[in-house]
Amino acid sequence: MRQYNVAVVGATGAVGSEMIKTLSQRDFPVKELRPLASSRSAGRSIEFKGEEITVSELKKGSFEGIDIALFSAGGGVSKEFAPVAAKAGAVVIDNSSAFRMEPDIPLVVPEVNPEALKARPGIIANPNCSTIQMVVVLKPLHDAAGIKRVVVSTYQAVSGTGWKAMEELRIQSEAVLKGEKVVKEVYPHQIAFNILPHIDVFLENGYTKEEMKMVNETRKIMGDNSIAVTATTARVPVFLSHSESVNVEFYKPLSPAQAREILSNAPGVKVIDDPSRNLYPLSIDAAGQDETFVGRIRKDESVAHGLNLWVVADNLRKGAALNAVQIAEEMIKRGLI
Ligand code: NAP
Ligand code: 3JN
């Protein structure tokens, strides 16, 4: 089997570290792994399959001989370096929002729209974590009953903001419990023992950028601009896994039992739905897992054809690293790399 030279841009970050772990765990056919970061981390070493590999500083010449470049170092870095990597011959899978809504760039969740990987695109965009876990569950229901409208509220873990935010939650939690002063650096308010209805920047329409990512990316991935989506995204003091309350209105009838059956057979989805035994998806159980978990499936009694769902997934894994690696795997399967 062919092996590939893989660069990970942002290799020292929360998403980049998970990418390297995922490549190893899935036994991705890596010939050479090239971890890249800023000058701050150059010279550090990371572990890959029992080997210590030195992190190099990201430069224009970093992509020589690279077949696949996984980017997770922010939109600015992607805008500057993804075209450089593509020009050097690499297939770029980009985790930032920099290219997601560009019409010619595929935005892919392999369980939902693998057909978007047609010709060999230079850059493929990985969607936002909150969008990914929602569309994995929505797609099979859309195929069955046609989705008219989605109302989603998210409860997002601090790991979505990177490793500094995880440290902030830990340090603030300890400070609160010891009665010490709380220091804020990453978020505008204390995150420990608190909920912030604010993810990414506020836009002119009053929504946050994270909320509008969910609206626009969902339509692009599902290939249906007629689906109405509205979102409220909140940050909660949880380290790993995003949870979502998803209200869906359909054109056709779909009972909770039918939805449970459909979702039980859907790729990448695991139904956990037995309230009589207090069984429903939980963020601590989803952490480190590949699947998107769904439960609390019940009728929305306020409309003719509606359901309420509780959807949970590991945001660093299916929400970022795993989805990116699955895109690369799908491209190999299709003979595109
Ligand atoms: P993080 O933990 O703060 O890590 C950031 C990484 O980017 C580090 O490796 C850092 O290297 C590197 N970096 C920063 N500036 C750089 C530069 N100028 N040149 C080269 N490397 C640079 O953040 P994260 O949570 O991993 O997120 C990183 C990015 O991934 C986000 O900005 C976002 O675009 C994307 N992301 C996507 C999703 C999703 O929903 N799919 C979720 C989370 C994040 P140093 O160690 O040298 O600082
Ligand atoms: O906040 C979260 O839970 C997910 C964060 C994603 C993120 C963080 C910084 C920049 C993104 C993203 O993937 O949408 C970006 C970005 O816009 O690239």
Side-chain angles (χ1 to χ4, degrees), residues 256 260 271-275 279-281 294-298:
R260 238 173 254 123
V271 176
I272 302 183
D273 199 15
D274 188 353
L279 289 178
Y280 29 72
V294 57
R296 301 292 321 280
I297 302 169
R298 63 208 190 276

Side-chain angles (χ1 to χ4, degrees), residues 117-283:
L117 297 166
K118 280 190 293 265
R120 185 188 186 281
I123 301 174
I124 300 102
N126 200 56
N128 175 268
C129 41
S130 301
T131 309
I132 293 176
Q133 67 183 69
M134 183 168 79
V135 296
V136 166
V137 168
L138 290 183
K139 179 62 166 54
L141 303 179
H142 185 51
D143 290 344
I147 294 175
K148 191 173 175 184
R149 181 168 188 248
V150 178
V151 181
V152 56
S153 300
T154 70
Y155 306 68
Q156 297 183 216
V158 295
S159 48
T161 322
W163 67 266
K164 279 190 191 143
M166 297 173 84
E167 268 303 282
E168 180 144 307
L169 174 59
R170 188 184 64 72
I171 291 166
Q172 286 187 357
S173 300
E174 280 176 12
V176 171
L177 292 172
K178 286 182 190 157
E180 293 170 357
K181 186 171 174 288
V182 167
V183 179
K184 297 171 289 189
E185 278 175 10
V186 177
Y187 298 114
H189 303 281
Q190 175 183 319
I191 182 63
F193 305 95
N194 204 6
I195 297 180
L196 315 181
H198 173 186
I199 296 184
D200 210 329
V201 295
F202 282 98
L203 303 173
E204 271 187 3
N205 65 359
Y207 285 78
T208 64
K209 198 172 164 195
E210 183 82 353
E211 289 161 351
M212 294 315 295
K213 286 173 192 170
M214 291 195 79
V215 172
N216 298 321
E217 294 178 20
T218 297
R219 292 178 176 156
K220 179 167 176 179
I221 299 161
M222 304 270 283
D224 188 343
N225 275 332
S226 73
I227 300 174
V229 183
T230 187
T232 302
T233 58
R235 186 76 63 197
V236 296
V238 163
F239 284 101
L240 266 178
S241 306
H242 290 355
S243 301
E244 299 178 343
S245 160
V246 186
N247 172 264
V248 196
E249 191 178 350
F250 299 95
Y251 287 104
K252 292 192 261 176
L254 188 71
S255 71
Q258 286 170 319
R260 238 173 254 123
E261 173 69 20
I262 290 165
L263 291 170
S264 300
N265 295 307
V269 176
K270 188 158 183 205
V271 176
I272 302 183
D273 199 15
D274 188 353
S276 69
R277 294 193 295 142
N278 296 336
L279 289 178
Y280 29 72
L282 292 173
S283 44

Side-chain angles (χ1 to χ4, degrees), residues 120 330-337:
R120 185 188 186 281
E330 183 68 32
M331 292 185 74
I332 291 172
K333 199 171 97 189
R334 288 168 178 255
L336 295 170
I337 317 183

Side-chain angles (χ1 to χ4, degrees), residues 10 12-15 37-38 40-41 58 72-74 77 95-96 127-129 162-163 319:
T12 52
V15 174
S38 79
R40 290 179 294 271
S41 296
L58 173 65
S72 64
V77 171
N95 257 279
S96 81
N128 175 268
C129 41
W163 67 266

Side-chain angles (χ1 to χ4, degrees), residues 33-35 44-48 51-55:
L33 180 76
R34 198 174 297 171
R44 256 178 66 179
S45 68
I46 56 112
E47 198 260 347
F48 179 66
E51 210 188 310
E52 293 293 318
I53 306 180
T54 306
V55 175

